[in-house]
Amino acid sequence: MRAVSALARRAVRSERGRFLVEGPQSVRELIRYAAPTVVDLYLTEEAGERHGEILDAARDAGVYLHSVSADVLAAMADATTPQGMIAVAQQPQDTLDSVLAHDPHLLVLLHEVRDPGNLGTVIRGADAAGADAVLISDASVDAYAPKVVRSTAGSLFHLPVVTGLDALATIHELARRGIRTLATEGEATTSLIELDLRDPHCWVMGTEARGLPESLAAKCDRRVAIPIYGAAESLNMAMAATICLYTSATARVRPVGPVPDGAP
Amino acid sequence: MRAVSALARRAVRSERGRFLVEGPQSVRELIRYAAPTVVDLYLTEEAGERHGEILDAARDAGVYLHSVSADVLAAMADATTPQGMIAVAQQPQDTLDSVLAHDPHLLVLLHEVRDPGNLGTVIRGADAAGADAVLISDASVDAYAPKVVRSTAGSLFHLPVVTGLDALATIHELARRGIRTLATEGEATTSLIELDLRDPHCWVMGTEARGLPESLAAKCDRRVAIPIYGAAESLNMAMAATICLYTSATARVRPVGPVPDGAP
């Protein structure tokens, strides 16, 4: 039990290559999308009754089940309300190479993202936009921190999330593979809405506070600004990423160009 | 001093019609956009030196300045790091009528939004997208709660935010004024990307957990789904609002239609 709660700490997760998945929504998605990685599932009797379909799926997948009391579960959890269910899972072994081997069309590379909620929201937005993977530089918050896992609402198990990357080396490798890199930058002269986004590309984003370092932005194929129509100075990283990724997704579904004369 | 810190409580804000604005970024935007509403500005000597332009603007605007120690400021603050500066301001008196008197083109109505960070992010996204106002139903978190104010990053002072509205009455009034109401709903058959969004309209959004009640959605002109391209079940409210509002903003700048034959 102490071994489980210790996974709330980054050093312990890193050493053991395992992490915590809390609450029915996340556990359901974990079992649905990554059952072979589940090491243990701890749940209260009440949660097992309420979420019979999760219990059935876990049994079918051969997951090792442990019935625990609510107090024991609370002691194992990082969340204040684990809602009766915690799984321990192995961290996926996705790499940049394994992602590139699948000819990705839409990627996002995050540099120095520090806020767990922001990172989780970007992963969820990338999933919703149909991105092929989320790439994260080595100077970022751990993608397997409990708060990140919770805020992805299960999306962490829906697409590869590659962590610990060297941002500069990644930009070079993407270029070598013919994937266009687009640095988001408030002052860029190219606006998001002018771009043709039908070819394979990767959004490259820095933190809200400091933006992308010039040393990285300079190596990207294009610098792109998200238009601001009102008086706001900027958008936070999660919103910026969501807007860019959705614009990319929409461009593939329904490519847009200048409106022809006489169009409605 | 105790009177100031008491403004972290909703009942006190509501009774006095005042609220706290913490940190240089928010205070700067408050003085720039709503100087006449500033009652007092408390700041440390160090913050005054570091942010001379805010101090000058406050003096020019005739704001009542108080030099306080860092300890006193910390005791007044809700934020753990008020960064040397707290203002007390009067709550704006915007109403649905005052918003409608300006022929708004783009609005958002939030129903039962409970999370302060989410509300702040929507206000910021609405500002960035050039929305004319944010409308909030009476069952929502207080828009003048310190955490909401902080997470708007100054946007709270850039556009009218009308609180305490009856959602149903508001939908009726919008319809009466010729403003199309668009209810966001995961199961809707109309997709966001099919819509012509050039006429005046108002997005109507419920919470992530429960969505919009049927009694409200049924009264809107259209039910609209944000397309999900990946495996995510949904988006959080702030992301959903940002995507809808940016799609509206883009439609006005560059209306899009089906791509003509032979388009690139």
Side-chain angles (χ1 to χ4, degrees):
Chain A
M1 186 185 116
R2 206 169 290 166
V4 172
S5 62
L7 291 173
R9 299 210 311 274
R10 183 173 194 158
V12 177
R13 283 194 300 276
S14 167
E15 186 198 316
R16 302 206 197 136
R18 295 180 174 185
F19 68 110
L20 290 177
V21 180
E22 304 170 305
Q25 184 188 24
S26 294
V27 169
R28 186 182 60 234
E29 298 304 298
L30 170 70
I31 293 171
R32 193 178 287 172
Y33 286 84
T37 70
V38 186
V39 180
D40 289 291
L41 174 56
Y42 300 86
L43 74 177
T44 62
E45 200 173 321
E46 193 202 341
E49 280 166 17
R50 189 182 308 169
H51 302 283
E53 84 294 355
I54 298 179
L55 204 58
D56 291 345
R59 285 204 181 101
D60 289 349
V63 168
Y64 197 14
L65 295 170
H66 311 263
S67 187
V68 294
S69 70
D71 286 350
V72 168
L73 198 85
M76 291 164 62
D78 175 79
T80 45
T81 52
Q83 296 172 71
M85 214 175 275
I86 295 181
V88 173
Q90 291 158 7
Q91 294 183 16
Q93 301 296 313
D94 299 303
T95 63
L96 184 58
D97 279 343
S98 68
V99 166
L100 293 175
H102 289 87
D103 289 329
H105 220 90
L106 178 56
L107 299 170
V108 59
L109 169 59
L110 306 174
H111 184 59
E112 294 189 349
V113 49
R114 309 275 194 212
D115 181 79
N118 254 343
L119 176 55
T121 304
V122 174
I123 293 171
R124 186 173 174 189
D127 177 19
D132 296 291
V134 175
L135 313 176
I136 305 172
S137 81
D138 48 12
S140 298
V141 64
D142 181 13
Y144 299 101
K147 195 174 171 197
V148 178
V149 177
R150 286 197 296 276
S151 56
T152 72
S155 287
L156 184 61
F157 315 116
H158 295 163
L159 78 172
V161 175
V162 185
T163 60
L165 291 168
D166 178 280
L168 191 59
T170 303
I171 290 169
H172 280 139
E173 184 61 14
L174 292 168
R176 209 177 68 77
R177 302 287 197 112
I179 295 172
R180 204 153 53 121
T181 47
L182 305 172
T184 57
E185 207 170 60
E187 317 77 43
T189 50
T190 302
S191 162
L192 170 63
I193 63 172
E194 299 166 26
L195 289 178
D196 185 329
L197 291 167
R198 287 172 294 172
D199 58 341
H201 58 274
C202 178
W203 291 102
V204 183
M205 320 193 91
T207 55
E208 182 184 351
R210 288 185 295 157
L212 209 55
E214 177 57 27
S215 57
L216 293 180
K219 298 296 180 189
C220 290
D221 293 310
R222 202 78 180 253
R223 298 171 193 244
V224 180
I226 300 171
I228 301 285
Y229 301 100
E233 275 177 53
S234 62
L235 293 155
N236 77 33
M237 185 200 222
M239 295 158 79
T242 304
I243 290 171
C244 290
L245 289 163
Y246 255 84
T247 305
S248 297
T250 306
R252 283 170 69 187
V253 178
R254 188 196 56 177
V256 294
V259 180
D261 285 352
Chain B
M1 188 183 116
R2 206 169 288 164
V4 173
S5 62
L7 291 172
R9 300 210 310 275
R10 185 172 192 158
V12 176
R13 283 194 299 277
S14 167
E15 185 198 319
R16 302 207 197 136
R18 296 180 174 184
F19 69 111
L20 289 178
V21 179
E22 303 170 305
Q25 185 188 24
S26 293
V27 169
R28 187 183 57 233
E29 297 305 296
L30 169 70
I31 293 171
R32 193 177 286 171
Y33 286 84
T37 69
V38 186
V39 179
D40 289 291
L41 175 56
Y42 300 85
L43 75 175
T44 62
E45 201 174 320
E46 193 202 340
E49 280 165 17
R50 189 182 306 168
H51 302 284
E53 85 293 355
I54 298 179
L55 202 59
D56 291 345
R59 285 204 182 102
D60 288 352
V63 168
Y64 196 15
L65 295 170
H66 311 262
S67 186
V68 294
S69 70
D71 287 351
V72 167
L73 198 85
M76 291 164 62
D78 175 79
T80 46
T81 51
Q83 298 172 70
M85 214 175 276
I86 296 180
V88 173
Q90 291 160 7
Q91 294 183 17
Q93 301 296 314
D94 298 303
T95 63
L96 184 58
D97 279 342
S98 68
V99 166
L100 293 174
H102 289 88
D103 290 328
H105 220 92
L106 178 57
L107 299 170
V108 59
L109 168 60
L110 306 174
H111 185 61
E112 293 188 351
V113 49
R114 307 276 194 213
D115 180 79
N118 253 344
L119 176 54
T121 303
V122 175
I123 293 172
R124 187 173 173 187
D127 177 18
D132 296 292
V134 175
L135 312 176
I136 305 170
S137 81
D138 49 11
S140 300
V141 63
D142 180 14
Y144 299 100
K147 195 176 171 195
V148 178
V149 177
R150 286 198 296 276
S151 57
T152 71
S155 286
L156 183 61
F157 315 117
H158 295 164
L159 77 173
V161 175
V162 184
T163 61
L165 291 168
D166 179 278
L168 191 59
T170 302
I171 290 168
H172 280 140
E173 183 61 13
L174 291 168
R176 210 178 65 79
R177 302 289 198 111
I179 295 172
R180 205 154 52 123
T181 48
L182 305 172
T184 58
E185 207 171 61
E187 318 77 45
T189 50
T190 302
S191 162
L192 171 62
I193 63 171
E194 298 166 27
L195 288 179
D196 185 329
L197 291 167
R198 287 172 293 172
D199 58 339
H201 58 274
C202 179
W203 291 103
V204 183
M205 319 193 92
T207 55
E208 181 184 352
R210 289 184 295 155
L212 209 55
E214 178 57 27
S215 58
L216 292 180
K219 298 297 180 187
C220 290
D221 294 309
R222 201 78 181 254
R223 298 171 193 245
V224 181
I226 300 172
I228 301 284
Y229 301 100
E233 273 178 54
S234 63
L235 292 156
N236 77 32
M237 185 202 222
M239 294 159 78
T242 303
I243 291 171
C244 290
L245 289 164
Y246 255 85
T247 305
S248 297
T250 305
R252 284 170 68 188
V253 178
R254 187 196 58 176
V256 294
V259 180
D261 285 350

